[in-house]
Amino acid sequence: MVAITEAVSLEKQGEIGMLWIDNPPVNALGHPVRKGMADGIEMAEKDDEIRAIVVICKGRTFCAGADIREFGKPPKEPHLPDVLNRFDQCKKPIISAIHGTAFGGGLETALSSHFRVAVPTAQFGLPEVKLGLLPGAGGTQRLPRLIGPQKALPLVATGNPINAEKALEEGLVDEIINGDLADGAVDFAKRVLAEKRPLVRVRDMNDRIDQARNKPEIFDDYRKQLAKRARGFEAPEACVKAVEAAVEKPFEDGLAVERALFEKLMSGSQSAAQRYYFFAERQVAKIPDIPKDTPLIDIKKVGVIGAGTMGGGITMNFVNAGIPVTLVEAKQEFLDRGLGVIRKNYDISASRGKMTAEEVDSRMGLITGTTSMEDLADADLVIEAVYENMNLKKEIFAKLDNICKDGAILATNTSYLDVNEIAAQTKRPEYVLGLHFFSPANVMRLLEIVRAEKTSIPVLATSIAIAKKIKKIAVVVRVCHGFAGNRMFAQRKREAEKLIMEGALPSQVDKVIYDFGFPMGPFALADLIGIDLGWDKDNSNSRTMQEVLCEQGRFGQKNGRGFYNYEEGSRAPKPAPEIDELIIEFSKKKGYIRREISDEEILQRCIYPIINEGAKILEEKIAVRPSDLDVIWVNGYGWPVYRGGPMFYADLVGLDKILEVLKKFQAEHGDDFRPAALLEQLVKEGRNFSSLN
Ligand code: 3HC
């Protein structure tokens, strides 16, 4: 074995040269790997004893792509496209032997090899688009040549991977190796030599490209398919353009188009935001005072109290991960209804082909419904998901403390109540915390883990681990009213409501927020959630817009009338001129002198207070770092990932500008806009939020 660089070595197995890449954790194609690959191929080509080369990786995966940490820094030679062109030109067969994930530059490496073999569990993908980029080392030109543009388009433009079986079916890999990968690859290489197979250079494969030429409908149709999910993103369209170039242009010219598009995206703010976000999501589980080797509590059985929408969704998360749940309701009738909704949700998934009827049955089989809390005696984790009433929650926790075994974790799903007060009802406050799921809990990826004053480190570490198991992104926050997400969200809600009193209309506010990149604006969202949520019918007296709307029976989507009108069976908001009139009349009655409000003011009024509240939350140490708040907003509130999150966006706008605008609003509208001390301090020191990550 000869070490070529610290990350690449060459081992001779008879006439086969094994080029081993070893760059943990994911064999990213950083400089030592690129240089090692280039020099290794050179060395193997010159070595007369070597007749074929196997490119193979140590550790958990084949190369998972370029080293994202190098992006934005001065590039160091050799560049990946040049290394891969060298692969192409090698006179000896190169076989990529793939396990784990051949992603991004990793898949591009495989595409530049002459053959590809893989283990059955391997995955293949070009996730660059998720980083606001496109494959920049020939992937957009080679993949369509190998599998055809129609099959290449979704891989390039959505970034979603395919498994080994599909890759074999589509001709992306030549053979699946069932035993040891290295042995299988050597055996494959020997067969290539024995059969004198010609080298397959993907760059020269033109059949599939020729078949797609002069068929613009391939791209038009795909663009239509992509339109909704790609709204606001720049990279997906660039991906389609690059594949189009593969069809229309010779290989080298196509590569030049790919490079130009790649560089444009790389220097733009969307990719900077998405790359930042990639690391933000991975940072979130790292809590400074939770050591990596903290002992975890084994969670084999879960209890959920409350079979409503929240409790039902929470239950589904656990049974989806194979963990049995005891679901408790106060009355049999509510329990039956809750179980019925869960089954219906699974049946819908089954009817869409996402699971089989047997899987539906086996998941339902993991749920035990009961009306007796005593049945939670052997649960390792209990999550209370009843409605927001402090006295009721206190009562439940006092009971649970008596019923549950020692060492069981007791969690509340409250979205704003004081978890310390709830924990104080038990003799085990160190085992109590908040697990704040977002609705619909079986769909939304965000979970706020609310760390109460006495929550122990193993309980927190276990909660983080279990969140990963049920495929949630967990952000640890501390106790305050509304925790991090809802506390920030309340700012936008308040300003949106004020803006329609001052002169804007719901459709104008919603359009600004939608165009910013949110899936919908605050009023369409209010219609979706239900305007009657929290409405006190008995004391309603037309004091607020909520009261006015509810008194008129306008509850939102649920009854087809809210800030907008809805046609039977449709969720698409239709203008409601009668509501605009009502708002105008109501605001005048309240003494407002309505004025023209610019889109810029709407955006700043709705977004800057979110950022300011985020700064206060950081100041109070409710959240660990600014990027955690960004993860909360992207996953829980529909913040467009191509803008990174509110705190990243603030850095982009400039904290000095945010501060200046907040001060102006404070002078005009009062202390809702009082700038956070942290914001003032950062501006004074010429720093940004990223410096706190
Ligand atoms: N560059 C640098 N670091 C990377 C990386 C990459 N491409 N991919 C993963 N890492 C790091 C992570 O940040 C994490 O670091 P940490 O332990 O310090 O937090 C560590 O590797 C492990 O990653 P995960 O926690 O994500 O591990 P998983 O096992 O859950 O997932 C994975 C592994 C599926 C490979 C996932 O990490 C992933 O999807 N990585 C990104 C792949 C990607 O986007 N590739 C394209 C890169 S761009 C490119 O190739 C451009 C080219 O076309 C020119």
Side-chain angles (χ1 to χ4, degrees), residues 320-338:
N320 290 348
I323 302 171
V325 175
T326 302
L327 182 58
V328 186
E329 249 303 349
K331 286 193 184 150
Q332 189 65 38
E333 177 197 346
F334 300 151
L335 182 62
D336 292 344
R337 196 191 307 152

Side-chain angles (χ1 to χ4, degrees), residues 351-365:
S351 72
R352 291 182 182 153
K354 288 188 183 150
M355 59 169 71
T356 61
E358 292 77 49
E359 278 167 334
V360 174
D361 287 342
S362 79
R363 290 193 197 182
M364 288 308 295

Side-chain angles (χ1 to χ4, degrees), residues 367-386:
I367 308 173
T368 310
T370 175
T371 52
S372 164
M373 274 216 315
E374 313 291 324
D375 291 341
L376 297 176
D378 62 346
D380 304 295
L381 162 69
V382 177
I383 303 170
E384 162 278 308
V386 303

Side-chain angles (χ1 to χ4, degrees), residues 628-642:
D628 285 6
L629 299 176
D630 289 335
V631 172
I632 287 179
W633 271 76
V634 168
N635 288 289
Y637 299 87
W639 183 283
V641 66
Y642 58 78

Side-chain angles (χ1 to χ4, degrees), residues 341-606:
V341 171
I342 296 176
R343 177 170 278 281
K344 200 172 124 210
N345 286 338
Y346 281 135
D347 283 343
I348 292 172
S349 295
S351 72
R352 291 182 182 153
K354 288 188 183 150
M355 59 169 71
T356 61
E358 292 77 49
E359 278 167 334
V360 174
D361 287 342
S362 79
R363 290 193 197 182
M364 288 308 295
L366 285 174
I367 308 173
T368 310
T370 175
T371 52
S372 164
M373 274 216 315
E374 313 291 324
D375 291 341
L376 297 176
D378 62 346
D380 304 295
L381 162 69
V382 177
I383 303 170
E384 162 278 308
V386 303
Y387 63 92
E388 295 284 39
N389 178 307
M390 184 52 113
N391 288 337
L392 177 63
K393 289 189 193 253
K394 279 182 173 172
E395 201 182 298
I396 288 175
F397 273 75
K399 270 194 198 158
L400 282 176
D401 194 28
N402 289 329
I403 294 169
C404 293
K405 65 181 182 190
D406 284 349
I409 301 176
L410 309 182
T412 169
N413 177 52
T414 181
S415 41
Y416 61 88
L417 295 175
D418 185 342
V419 184
N420 291 323
E421 206 178 321
I422 295 173
Q425 298 309 301
T426 71
K427 291 179 288 305
R428 57 172 106 188
E430 62 281 15
Y431 283 91
V432 179
L433 82 172
L435 291 179
H436 178 209
F437 289 82
F438 286 68
S439 186
N442 52 319
V443 178
M444 297 290 283
R445 288 179 76 210
L446 179 63
L447 175 67
E448 272 182 332
I449 296 185
V450 187
R451 175 177 190 170
E453 261 161 33
K454 296 193 175 149
T455 311
S456 77
I457 299 285
V459 166
L460 273 172
T462 302
S463 304
I464 294 170
I466 198 85
K468 198 165 179 193
K469 198 159 183 191
I470 61 170
K471 299 201 169 77
K472 297 287 168 198
I473 296 184
V475 183
V476 176
V477 295
R478 288 190 185 262
V479 178
C480 66
H481 188 81
F483 316 124
N486 281 346
R487 181 170 153 185
M488 291 163 85
F489 180 73
Q491 302 289 317
R492 190 184 83 175
K493 186 166 182 291
R494 182 197 65 228
E495 286 311 305
E497 284 164 6
K498 273 160 57 182
L499 282 161
I500 59 169
M501 291 296 104
E502 291 171 32
L505 288 171
S507 53
Q508 188 194 359
V509 177
D510 278 359
K511 183 171 183 316
V512 170
I513 297 300
Y514 178 81
D515 288 348
F516 184 78
F518 282 94
M520 64 186 81
F523 298 100
L525 182 65
D527 277 358
L528 175 73
I529 295 172
I531 300 174
D532 57 328
L533 194 80
W535 174 50
D536 183 357
K537 189 175 174 200
D538 297 334
N539 293 310
S540 189
N541 194 14
S542 305
R543 280 164 303 208
T544 60
M545 263 326 284
Q546 183 196 30
E547 288 188 348
V548 172
L549 289 166
C550 290
E551 284 159 20
Q552 298 198 6
R554 300 193 72 109
F555 299 152
Q557 276 191 26
K558 64 174 84 164
N559 67 347
R561 300 159 72 236
F563 283 103
Y564 299 92
N565 291 324
Y566 299 85
E567 279 164 16
E568 184 82 37
S570 162
R571 289 175 174 273
K574 295 259 175 304
E578 68 276 24
I579 286 303
D580 292 352
E581 275 169 34
L582 202 68
I583 289 168
I584 293 168
E585 193 190 315
F586 181 77
S587 61
K588 285 185 179 160
K589 214 162 73 192
K590 287 268 166 192
Y592 285 93
I593 298 162
R594 292 181 72 82
R595 65 188 167 95
E596 219 23 54
I597 300 184
S598 70
D599 288 355
E600 189 191 20
E601 180 178 341
I602 291 177
L603 190 69
Q604 292 175 339
R605 291 269 301 272
C606 288

Side-chain angles (χ1 to χ4, degrees), residues 25-26 60 64 66-69 105 108 127-128 135-136 278 282 286:
V26 296
R60 66 201 225 210
D67 189 335
I68 308 168
R69 286 173 216 271
E108 290 174 301
E128 286 88 341
F278 175 85
R282 280 156 182 82
K286 294 169 190 153

